[in-house]
Amino acid sequence: MRILFTFLFISFGLLFVNAQKQTSNTKSGVPPFLINTDNLWVDSMMNSMTLDEKIGQLFMIAAYSNRDETHYKEIENYIQKYKVGGLIFFQGTAEKQAELTNRYQTLSKNKMWIGFDGEWGLAMRLKNTINYPRQIMLGAIENEQTIYDMGAEFARQMKRIGIHINFAPSVDVNNNPNNPVINDRSFGDNKYNVVLKSKAYMHGMQDNFLMACAKHFPGHGDTDVDSHYDMPVLQHSAERLDNIELYPFKAMIRNGVSSVMVAHMNVLAYDNTPNLPSTLSPKVVQGKLIDDLGFNGIVFTDALNMKGVAKYFPSGVAEVKALQAGNDVLLFSENVDAAIKGIKAAVSSGEITEERINKSVRKILLAKYWVGLNNYQPIDLNNINADINSEQAKNINNKLIQEAITIVKDDKTLLPIIDVREKIAHIAIGNGKANTFSNRLDSYSEIDHFYISKSETNTNFVALINKLKKYKLVIVEISDMVRAPSKNYGLTTNQIEAVKSINQKYDAINVVFGLPNSLKNFQALHNIVVAYNEDSVTQDITAQILFGARPASGTLPVTVGKYEYSSGVCSQGNLRLAYGLPIEIGIDKSKLSKIDNIIEKAISDGATPSSQILVAKDGMIVYQKTFGNMTYSSKINVDNNDLYDIASISKVVATTPIMMRAYEDKIIDINKTLGDYYSYPDSCNKYNINFKDLLAHQAGLPAWIPFYKKTLDSLNNADTTWYAKQKDSHFNIKIEDDLYLRNDFIDSIRNTIYNCSLGSKSYKYSDLGYYLLKEIIEKQYREAFEPVVQKYLWSHLGMNHTMYNPLDKNINLNQIVPTEDEKGFRNRLIHGTVHDQGAALLGGVAGHAGVFSNTNDLAKYFQMLLNNGQYGGTRFYNKSTIDLFTTSISSSNRRALGFDKPSKSGDSGPTCDAASSQSFGHTGFTGCIAWADPKYNLIYIFLSNRINPSADNKKLINQNIRPQIQQAIYDAIIKK
C-alpha cells in the first residue's frame, strides 16, 4: 500500500508539473491563460462580483513609486472606491514598488494584476536596475535563444516584485527612419526579423508565466507624429497594411500572445472617420483585430491620457468608446472618476450591456488565475535589489550586447586588431572625456588618446586631425549621441566632417555608439562598427571585440543607404584575454569573495600594505582587484595599472621565454653546456654546466652572493671607491638618482660568479645561473637584454606595463608600488628602482630580477602559454616547447626548466594542494606569485609588496596567504 501510495503521489506530481508546463506553453496558437477556460475559481469570482466591481476590473490605473504620500493615498482611494482591477507602475525603484504593491494589495478584495512598461527591462522605469538593450539593438542578434533567455530573465525579475504583465514587445516594423515615437523601440525595418525577435521575447516571458503584449496595433512603425502629443494619420492602403504592418501581429497571434495593445492612430484604410483613433474604432479593434485576425486574448488600449485620444475625446467618453470598440482593459485613464461615471451611465442607458462587460472581465480573471493571483502571496521585501541585479541577470545583458554589436563593414580587414606594436591613436569625438571604452582599449595596447567635444570649431578639429599623421591606425569613437532622428542623432556638422576627413587620410576603425540609422551621415566609410548604445558595458565589450577578445556576430537590423539590412562581418574571438563575469565561465562570484576576506585580513594583520590579484579562466579575466595602499603610511590606493617589482618572476617572464625562443630558433641547444656558447676564463668552472641543469636549479651553484656588500664601507654606507653622487664616464650605472656605481664593478660580479665553487648536482634554488644566461642571450642575439625581451615577447603580447627601470620610461612614481625601506645599502625607501641588490648593481636589468609589471600584463603572458604558444593571432612557441619547459625535470626535483612546479611529496612548494601537477609558474621575493594550470585553463596572479617596510616581514609567507587565496579559487571552480 505504501509503495502504491508513493507511486500515485509521484504520478500526480508529474501530471501537475506537466499541466503547469502546458499552461505556460505559448506556442499553441492560443493565449496560455485561455487553454483551460473551465475554471471554478473564475466562475466563483464572476458570481460574487457586483456590476460596479466588474467595471472596476476593466481599469488599470497609473501608479508611481517615486512620489509622495498624497499620490499613494490617491491610489488607495481608487482601489477602495472603485475596486480597480490593476495597476501599471511607472517611475521609481524596485524596492519601493514592491513595498507599495504589498500595501495596495491588502486593500484589494479581488487581487489586482500589476502591469509594467518594460520594453528594455525594469530600467525603462526603475532606477538602479540593469539597462538591457533596446529592441533595435536586439534586432541585430542572430541567435533568438539569447533573446528568449532575456524574456525569461525579465519574467524572473518582474515576478520578483509582483508584476504580472509586461507591455512588450513592440512588434512595429519601423520602416520610417524619422519615426519620432517608435524608432529604437522596434526590432528594425524587416518584418521577418521583427517576427523572429518578437516571438523569442514573448515566449521567454510567457513560458515563465509573465504575460506579454504585442503593440502597437495595427502598427506604429511608419508614422511621423508621436501619439503621446497628437494623433498620427496612416494613409496606407489596406493591402500595404496587411503585408507589412499587420504581418508581425498575425504571427504573434498564431503563436499565442496573451495580449495586444491598440495604438492611437487614425487608420484611414480601416476606418476613415475623422479624428477617430484606432483605439476607439470598432472597425479596427473588433473588426480587424478580433474578427479578421482571430485574436481572442486580452485587448489593451494604449494609455488613454495620451493626446492621440485625449485631444479629441474626454474621459468618460473615450473609455465608453474603447469598450464599444472591443477593448478589454482601459489603460491609464486620464480621469478615473469621470471614466467610471461614463461607463456606468452607458450601462444604464443600454449603450453597453452587462454581457459585454462580463466577456472582458472573464478574460481578465482567467489571466489573473494564470499568473497566480488565485493564490496570492505578498512580495518578500528582503534582498530585492540583489535578487534583481543578480550575476545571471548581468550575464544575459552581456550576452545580448556582445551578440548585437555589428561590424557593418571591414573593407580594409582591420578587425580584429592583430599587431599591437603598431602606433595606434584613439580619437573620441563626443563629450571630450575618457570613458570605459578608452580605459578598456588600454588593457590591450599602448594607445594615445585624443578627446574632443563634438561642438568644437572646425579649426580645432583640423589641428587635432593633423596630429594623427604618425599613427598606423586610428580608432574613431563617435559618441555623445541622442536617439532623436529630428536632431540627426546628436551629430554635429563638424563632428561628421571630422570623421570623414580622418577616414580619407588614415586607416580608421569607426565605432558608432548610437543608432544605426545615423549611418546615413557616414556612407563612404570602409570600416564601421555599430555599438547601438553608450553604456559602460557596451563600451567595454566593444573594445574587447576590436582586439579579438570576443567575437562579433551582429547584423544590421535596418537598411541605411548603401548599408543593407542583415549586413555584418563576423569576427574572431578568443584571440586575447576577455574581461567578464565569473558566471560567464560557470563560476559563482560569491565563492570568489573569500579572496577578499583573506587579503583584507592579511593587510590588517600587517602581512603586506597592498596587493593586486587577478584570476582568469578559459581565456577570461573574471576577478581583477586591488587592495590596500602604497604603504601602510600612505593614503594612495593601489590601482590595477600600478607596477610592482615582481622580483624572481622575472626569471620566467624575461629570461626563460627568451631561452625558449632561442631553443626553437636553434640559437641555443639546451642539451649543450654554457661553454659551448660563451668563452669563460680558464680558471672558470662553469664551462660544463648543462643548460637544463642550470634552468632547473640543479647545477650546484650557490643560492646567491651578496655582491653589494663589497661596495659598502665599515658603516654599511656606499663606499666612495665605488660610488659617486653624479653620473660621469666611470660612474655611470644608476642605482638611485644620487647614487652611481663605477662601471667596472660588473667585472667583479662576473669574476665572483665565474670563480665560485660548485656543489653537488642536486636541487638548490639559485639566482646566479640567470646572471650567466643573460650574458649568453646578449651574446647570441648581439643586443642588450631588455630590447631582446621587448622585441620578441613583451611588445607582441601588448605587455606595455612590463619593463625594467620604469622611472627611465617616464612612469609616474605614483604608479609604482614601493618595496623595502632599506637599511644597510641604499638606506632609503626603494621606490621605482629594483629591490634586488644584485640586479641594482647591474643597472636594474638582470636575468634573475628587475622586472616591474602588473597582473594584467602577466596574465597575457601566461595565457599565451596556456594557449599552447598562441596569443593575439601570433604564434610565439610550439606546444612541444612549452611542454618541455614546464615539465618537472626529475622525480627528485619539482622544478621545470625555468618554471617552478607544485610541491612533490615532502617538498614545501609554492602552491595550494589543489594545483594540478601540470601547473607551473614562479614566486617572487617581494611577495608575488604568477601561476598557470593547464588542467583547469586557470591563471592566478598575486602581486604584493610584503617587504615594505622591511624584508624581515615574513607574515605573508608564514600565514600561507598566497596558497590560501589559490585554494579559494580552486574551491570556486571545481564542482564537488
Side-chain angles (χ1 to χ4, degrees), residues 94-338:
E95 289 177 313
K96 187 64 177 180
Q97 179 172 318
E99 176 193 324
L100 288 171
T101 299
N102 280 353
R103 173 177 167 179
Y104 295 150
Q105 290 284 26
T106 62
L107 301 175
S108 181
K109 173 186 172 184
N110 304 313
K111 299 307 178 188
M112 298 176 293
W113 58 348
I114 307 299
F116 192 84
D117 199 11
E119 294 166 23
W120 51 90
L122 293 174
M124 184 167 173
R125 303 296 183 191
L126 302 182
K127 294 179 179 179
N128 305 320
T129 55
I130 297 169
N131 193 6
Y132 288 88
R134 300 194 180 201
Q135 288 189 195
I136 191 68
M137 190 170 182
L138 300 177
I141 296 172
E142 290 288 282
N143 183 10
E144 280 87 43
Q145 181 64 45
T146 308
I147 297 173
Y148 176 93
D149 293 342
M150 179 198 74
E153 176 58 27
F154 283 6
R156 185 193 71 82
Q157 292 183 28
M158 292 183 182
K159 287 163 60 181
R160 176 65 182 85
I161 59 171
I163 296 169
H164 306 110
I165 178 167
N166 184 19
F167 292 110
S170 167
V171 302
D172 305 295
V173 181
N174 195 56
N175 41 23
N176 183 348
N178 295 316
N179 194 317
V181 60
I182 300 303
N183 195 9
D184 59 0
R185 297 168 62 194
S186 166
F187 289 111
D189 61 12
N190 182 279
K191 65 182 182 180
Y192 304 108
N193 192 44
V194 169
V195 168
L196 289 173
K197 305 307 187 289
S198 298
K199 283 166 52 182
Y201 189 166
M202 173 193 70
H203 288 316
M205 291 191 291
Q206 292 192 173
D207 285 355
N208 292 278
F209 295 92
L210 179 73
M211 291 179 66
C213 180
K215 62 184 188 184
H216 306 80
F217 185 84
H220 213 316
D222 195 2
T223 58
D224 55 9
V225 173
D226 186 343
S227 52
H228 290 85
Y229 306 108
D230 205 341
M231 184 170 58
V233 178
L234 261 65
Q235 302 188 35
H236 299 305
S237 68
E239 181 182 9
R240 148 63 196 263
L241 293 169
D242 185 71
N243 183 47
I244 296 179
E245 274 75 12
L246 291 187
Y247 186 85
F249 289 97
K250 294 175 185 177
M252 294 293 277
I253 291 168
R254 285 196 304 270
N255 281 269
V257 69
S258 293
S259 66
V260 169
M261 179 184 289
V262 184
H264 307 316
M265 301 184 297
N266 192 200
V267 187
L268 300 182
Y270 297 151
D271 191 336
N272 60 7
T273 305
N275 298 325
L276 182 65
S278 46
T279 334
L280 310 187
S281 169
K283 293 180 181 179
V284 174
V285 182
Q286 184 66 47
K288 180 55 64 175
L289 176 60
I290 298 173
D291 296 340
D292 288 359
L293 301 189
F295 180 64
N296 58 358
I298 293 177
V299 182
F300 285 91
T301 69
D302 204 341
L304 292 172
N305 69 330
M306 294 166 61
K307 296 305 180 185
V309 168
K311 180 178 178 181
Y312 304 96
F313 298 91
S315 285
V317 176
E319 289 78 6
V320 169
K321 285 187 170 295
L323 291 175
Q324 290 173 328
N327 294 279
D328 296 305
V329 180
L330 308 169
L331 197 65
F332 205 159
S333 180
E334 189 169 42
N335 185 325
V336 178
D337 296 294

Side-chain angles (χ1 to χ4, degrees), residues 3 86 95 104 134 152 186 203 255 269 330 339 368 386 406 533 555 557 575 615 646 692 738 755 784 866 914 931:
I3 295 173
E95 289 177 313
Y104 295 150
R134 300 194 180 201
S186 166
H203 288 316
N255 281 269
L330 308 169
K368 287 188 174 185
T406 306
N533 208 353
T555 59
L575 292 179
V615 178
I646 63 172
K692 286 186 176 179
D738 60 351
N755 295 312
L866 289 179
W931 209 265

Side-chain angles (χ1 to χ4, degrees), residues 98 122 230 333 344 406 453 466 470 511 665 667 691 748 803:
L122 293 174
D230 205 341
S333 180
K344 287 182 178 181
T406 306
S453 170
N466 288 335
K470 63 180 180 179
V511 183
D665 292 345
I667 294 173
F691 279 105
S748 174
M803 63 196 75

Side-chain angles (χ1 to χ4, degrees), residues 477-515:
E477 172 194 329
I478 305 165
S479 56
D480 194 27
M481 299 176 66
V482 300
R483 302 184 179 278
S486 61
K487 297 180 179 179
N488 197 20
Y489 307 98
L491 297 169
T492 65
T493 300
N494 286 346
Q495 184 181 25
I496 294 167
E497 293 306 313
V499 172
K500 292 178 180 178
S501 177
I502 292 169
N503 280 267
Q504 289 168 358
K505 296 179 179 180
Y506 313 112
D507 283 343
I509 297 170
N510 305 277
V511 183
V512 179
F513 286 104
L515 297 185

